[in-house]
């Protein structure tokens, strides 16, 4: 019987940090899993190397569900982003191996394609309204049918979601940068710039906006109401979802669709949001929510309540995680949209292959497994470099939600 011969945890930083799990079987089949958790990369690397890798050796790589249960229930300390990212990496690597052994792309193992391609949204941003409008024009030229629009807020230094230079990368400093925040300025400005976007470009594309947990429920309700005639595809993370109940208040006031999930990692973090129909899109990622096995379960629950998927796909999920997401997206009946932020140039020196983009859609391709490779020699030339997300402070100096 083919068993797991070894597992290696690899950390590389081609412009930003990525953690990758490589599982090798006794038959020499290699599976890749993404274990990247922005700003906590080494915690997941240690969890895997110190606590998971020793458990894998000698086990049957074909028993994906059993391995998932073993690593979730069997460890006593379940859930949480570190654990769920580590479990996800093992899960992804085992799906990759199963596909390579079967000679089939993972989406075929999951039930086959339900659609021709995976609708994606990408980011456009600007330091002011004219530069946002220019960026949207450029993004539209690349064929994107769905665009997330963010602009710096006047008087608020370093607003999230806005590029500094050619590329937006929120984890930007060896110690967290401190940025400022004013809810009043944001609530006044954001509906106005979103209205200018619709005025200039019309309604024949999906317009998304990320609030990044910055509002209280009643502020989010006001925001949602004020942009209703702009027909946003969604407002993302209007308020922190630690208290799932609080979304009832937003729902009572606005029909602007809501997307939540990028900082959440298990079905228990979203089950109330889904079963009470408090959200329209569930945005957990394969990488942070226990892999294909667990995210598929979350999407299946969501389907019963007409909640669609909208998976998180920023640059801090590696191309392996993005490939795994694309396979799942192609199959599930309640697919909504997939984030496709793209990567800075050096990343494709390490990660080879993966989904292809054309005309607003991604496709995972038909190579066996996840269809992506990792160049270990190139990766070794990019050592880990600590990079943290900023911290947000209100104008009075107190800490705000990021
Ligand atoms: C998104 C996210 C990112 C996060 C980043 C943090 O919607 O893509 O909000 O921009 O800030 O993934 O790790
Ligand atoms: Mg977001």
């Amino acid at each position: 019987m083919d068993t797991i011969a070894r597992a290696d945890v690899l950390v590389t930083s081609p412009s930003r940090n990525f953690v990758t799990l490589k599982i090798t079987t006794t038959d020499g089949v290699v599976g890749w899993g993404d274990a990247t958790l922005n700003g906590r990369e080494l915690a997941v690397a240690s969890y895997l190397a110190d606590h998971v890798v020793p458990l894998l050796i000698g086990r049957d790589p074909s028993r994906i569900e059993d391995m998932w249960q073993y690593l979730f229930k069997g460890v006593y300390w379940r859930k949480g982003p570190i654990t769920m990212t580590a479990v996800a990496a093992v899960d992804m690597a085992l799906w990759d191996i199963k596909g390579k052994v079967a000679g089939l792309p993972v989406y075929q193992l999951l039930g086959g394609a339900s659609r021709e391609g995976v609708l994606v949204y990408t980011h456009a941003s600007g330091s002011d309204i004219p530069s946002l409008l220019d960026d949207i024009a450029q993004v539209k030229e690349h064929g994107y049918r769905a665009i997330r629009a963010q602009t710096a807020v006047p008087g608020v230094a370093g607003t999230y979601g806005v590029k500094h230079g050619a590329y937006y990368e929120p984890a930007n400093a060896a110690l967290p940068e401190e940025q400022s925040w004013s809810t009043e300025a944001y609530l006044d400005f954001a509906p106005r710039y979103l209205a200018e976007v619709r005025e200039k470009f019309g309604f024949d594309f999906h317009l998304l906006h990320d609030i990044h947990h910055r509002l209280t429920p009643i502020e989010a309700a006001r925001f949602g109401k004020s942009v209703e005639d702009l027909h946003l595809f969604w407002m993302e993370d209007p308020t922190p979802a630690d208290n799932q109940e609080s979304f009832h208040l937003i729902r009572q006031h606005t029909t602007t669709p809501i997307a939540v999930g990028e900082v959440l990692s298990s079905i228990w973090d979203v089950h109330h949001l889904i079963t009470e129909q408090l959200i329209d899109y569930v945005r957990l990622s394969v990488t942070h929510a226990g892999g294909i096995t667990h995210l598929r379960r979350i999407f299946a629950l969501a389907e019963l309540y007409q909640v669609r998927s909208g998976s998180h796909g920023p640059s801090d999920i590696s191309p392996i995680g993005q490939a795994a997401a694309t396979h799942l997206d192609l199959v599930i009946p309640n697919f909504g949209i997939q984030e496709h932020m793209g990567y800075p140039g050096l990343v494709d020196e390490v990660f080879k292959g993966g989904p292809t983009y054309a005309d607003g859609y991604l496709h995972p391709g038909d190579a066996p497994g996840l269809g992506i490779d990792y160049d270990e020699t190139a990766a070794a030339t990019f050592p880990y470099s600590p990079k943290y997300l900023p911290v947000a402070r209100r104008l009075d100096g107190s800490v705000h939600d990021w």
Side-chain angles (χ1 to χ4, degrees):
M1 183 184 76
D2 191 21
T3 60
I4 296 174
R6 59 179 295 160
D8 300 279
V9 182
L10 309 163
V11 182
T12 185
S13 189
S15 322
R16 68 157 351 279
N17 294 311
F18 295 107
V19 181
T20 303
L21 178 69
K22 176 189 183 190
I23 294 184
T24 310
T25 73
T26 46
D27 285 350
V29 184
V30 168
W32 300 105
D34 179 21
T36 310
L37 185 64
N38 208 2
R40 293 294 180 272
E41 294 87 358
L42 299 186
V44 184
S46 157
Y47 188 105
L48 280 168
D50 297 328
H51 305 294
V52 174
V53 166
L55 311 178
L56 301 179
I57 311 305
R59 286 184 190 279
D60 179 351
S62 73
R63 297 192 175 199
I64 300 178
E65 180 65 42
D66 182 65
M67 180 73 85
W68 197 92
Q69 300 295 334
Y70 178 75
L71 293 177
F72 182 81
K73 294 181 182 163
V75 299
Y76 196 60
W77 307 107
R78 33 173 111 170
K79 302 192 287 183
I82 310 282
T83 301
M84 296 305 274
T85 304
V87 175
V90 177
D91 186 76
M92 255 179 264
L94 295 187
W95 280 106
D96 194 21
I97 289 170
K98 193 177 279 297
K100 286 171 178 163
V101 170
L104 291 171
V106 166
Y107 78 81
Q108 292 290 9
L109 306 178
L110 296 171
S114 296
R115 51 191 55 79
E116 303 311 317
V118 167
L119 176 70
V120 293
Y121 74 92
T122 196
H123 296 191
S125 71
S127 51
D128 52 20
I129 298 179
S131 60
L132 169 69
L133 298 179
D134 285 352
D135 208 29
I136 292 181
Q138 275 195 22
V139 163
K140 281 175 110 327
E141 266 175 36
H142 287 103
Y144 285 99
R145 296 153 192 270
I147 300 170
R148 183 188 95 156
Q150 309 292 142
T151 299
V153 178
V156 180
T159 317
Y160 68 89
V162 177
K163 290 175 194 158
H164 302 284
Y167 194 77
Y168 171 58
E169 171 53 73
N172 58 0
L175 283 174
E177 201 180 78
E178 307 226 340
Q179 297 183 344
S180 60
W181 177 251
S182 159
T183 296
E184 294 71 24
Y186 167 81
L187 276 177
D188 171 58
F189 189 61
R192 288 199 275 130
Y193 75 70
L194 292 170
E196 289 215 27
V197 172
R198 280 305 194 201
E199 214 164 283
K200 171 142 192 199
F201 296 100
F203 285 77
D204 70 338
F205 69 104
H206 299 303
L207 178 61
L208 296 78
H209 180 66
D210 189 353
I211 300 173
H212 229 289
H213 317 109
R214 298 296 170 100
L215 301 178
T216 64
I218 199 67
E219 289 163 353
R222 172 180 148 198
F223 175 86
K225 213 168 166 177
S226 70
V227 295
E228 259 166 30
D229 60 350
L230 304 179
H231 300 171
L232 294 190
F233 188 87
W234 72 39
M235 58 172 174
E236 178 178 327
D237 292 329
T239 198
D242 302 320
N243 175 10
Q244 298 184 34
E245 294 284 339
S246 68
F247 282 75
H248 284 283
L249 182 60
I250 308 175
R251 272 307 210 213
Q252 282 159 16
H253 294 283
T254 180
T255 57
T256 295
I258 300 174
V260 168
E262 67 177 58
V263 296
L264 307 176
S265 47
S266 85
I267 198 165
W268 304 109
D269 300 331
V270 284
H271 82 283
H272 185 77
L273 291 175
I274 291 172
T275 59
E276 295 290 316
Q277 295 180 296
L278 298 176
I279 56 172
D280 303 280
Y281 296 90
V282 62
R283 281 191 76 253
L284 287 77
S285 66
V286 170
T287 300
H288 301 142
I292 290 171
T293 299
H294 192 57
L295 192 57
R296 183 167 60 159
R297 204 163 270 139
I298 295 172
F299 289 155
L301 175 69
E303 190 207 345
L304 304 182
Y305 297 90
Q306 293 182 294
V307 174
R308 293 197 279 155
S309 73
S311 293
H312 191 208
S315 55
D316 47 278
I317 280 168
S318 93
I320 297 170
Q322 190 72 353
T326 312
H327 284 275
L328 188 55
D329 292 338
L330 201 66
V331 176
I332 53 167
N334 55 330
F335 170 75
I337 203 164
Q338 169 68 51
E339 185 177 19
H340 176 53
M341 188 171 156
Y343 295 98
L346 291 174
V347 174
D348 59 20
E349 295 195 10
V350 174
F351 298 91
K352 306 285 182 189
T356 46
Y357 169 83
D359 207 18
Y361 291 88
L362 275 184
H363 194 284
D366 282 301
L370 294 175
I372 186 148
D373 259 313
Y374 182 94
D375 182 332
E376 288 179 71
T377 316
T381 64
F382 302 112
Y384 168 74
S385 133
K387 286 276 162 50
Y388 290 97
L389 292 167
V391 170
R393 286 188 186 276
R394 300 176 196 115
L395 299 182
D396 71 357
S398 54
V399 174
H400 195 64
D401 295 291
W402 156 249

